[in-house]
């Protein structure tokens, strides 16, 4: 009886942990890690470059990810970076505006599929 209780408890824990997060978590973590890695390679500080310190938007079912980090106590944003999914990886897109407006794909005119600010999902209007 004791083994059955332990077994059922483990199954419940597994099921509950599998339900957490969102379907874009892995992709968002990939692009943030890639951005941090690239920034370090250029010799710049990566302090504050975390998901909990960013605004992140996902478009077209995960094909495009746009983000910027909050910089300093004034909560000003750094310039936006855009990543595009090519195959199994994401690549930094060139010639995209740092302001987050007027991009060549028209993403600023679309409603994102997913958005989070400082690690918390924002509720997007339907």
């Amino acid at each position: 009886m004791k083994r059955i209780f332990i077994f059922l408890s483990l199954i419940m824990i597994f099921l509950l942990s599998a339900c957490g997060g969102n379907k874009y978590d892995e992709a968002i973590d990939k692009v943030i890690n890639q951005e941090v890695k690239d920034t370090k390679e250029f010799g710049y500080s990566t302090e504050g470059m975390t998901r909990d310190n960013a605004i992140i938007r996902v478009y077209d079912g995960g094909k495009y990810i746009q983000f910027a980090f909050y910089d300093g106590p004034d909560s000003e944003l750094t310039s936006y970076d855009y990543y595009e999914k090519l195959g199994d990886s994401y690549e930094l897109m060139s010639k995209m505006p740092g302001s987050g407006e007027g991009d060549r794909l028209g993403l600023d005119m679309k409603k994102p599929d997913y958005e989070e600010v400082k690690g918390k999902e924002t509720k997007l209007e339907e």
Side-chain angles (χ1 to χ4, degrees):
M1 185 67 171
K2 187 175 184 180
R3 288 185 185 173
I4 291 174
F5 179 76
I6 292 172
F7 178 73
L8 291 175
S9 297
L10 289 174
I11 288 177
M12 289 301 293
I13 290 171
F14 176 75
L15 289 175
L16 291 174
S17 65
C19 295
N22 69 71
K23 65 182 178 180
Y24 302 114
D25 277 343
E26 186 178 333
I28 291 169
D29 289 339
K30 270 185 186 180
V31 297
I32 297 288
N33 290 337
Q34 187 172 339
E35 184 73 13
V36 168
K37 180 183 168 216
D38 292 346
T39 301
K40 281 182 181 178
E41 285 179 6
F42 284 111
Y44 295 109
S45 171
T46 58
E47 184 179 341
M49 292 180 74
T50 65
R51 191 169 172 172
D52 291 336
N53 192 41
I55 181 168
I56 301 164
R57 295 183 185 115
V58 179
Y59 296 92
D60 294 344
K63 183 169 174 80
Y64 303 104
I65 297 177
Q66 172 198 51
F67 63 89
F69 298 103
Y70 287 94
D71 188 26
D74 303 350
S75 293
E76 291 183 26
L77 287 170
T78 61
S79 61
Y80 282 89
D81 284 313
Y82 297 76
Y83 280 78
E84 178 179 22
K85 186 171 186 174
L86 299 172
D88 291 336
S89 64
Y90 282 85
E91 303 225 357
L92 180 65
M93 297 177 69
S94 62
K95 299 182 181 167
M96 296 295 274
S99 67
E101 297 175 355
D103 62 87
R104 60 187 156 95
L105 300 172
L107 297 178
D108 63 329
M109 305 301 274
K110 294 181 179 181
K111 183 178 115 184
D113 297 327
Y114 175 81
E115 181 181 69
E116 71 180 42
V117 177
K118 293 190 175 185
K120 302 218 182 324
E121 180 177 355
T122 59
K123 298 296 179 195
L124 300 170
E125 295 178 13
E126 292 296 320

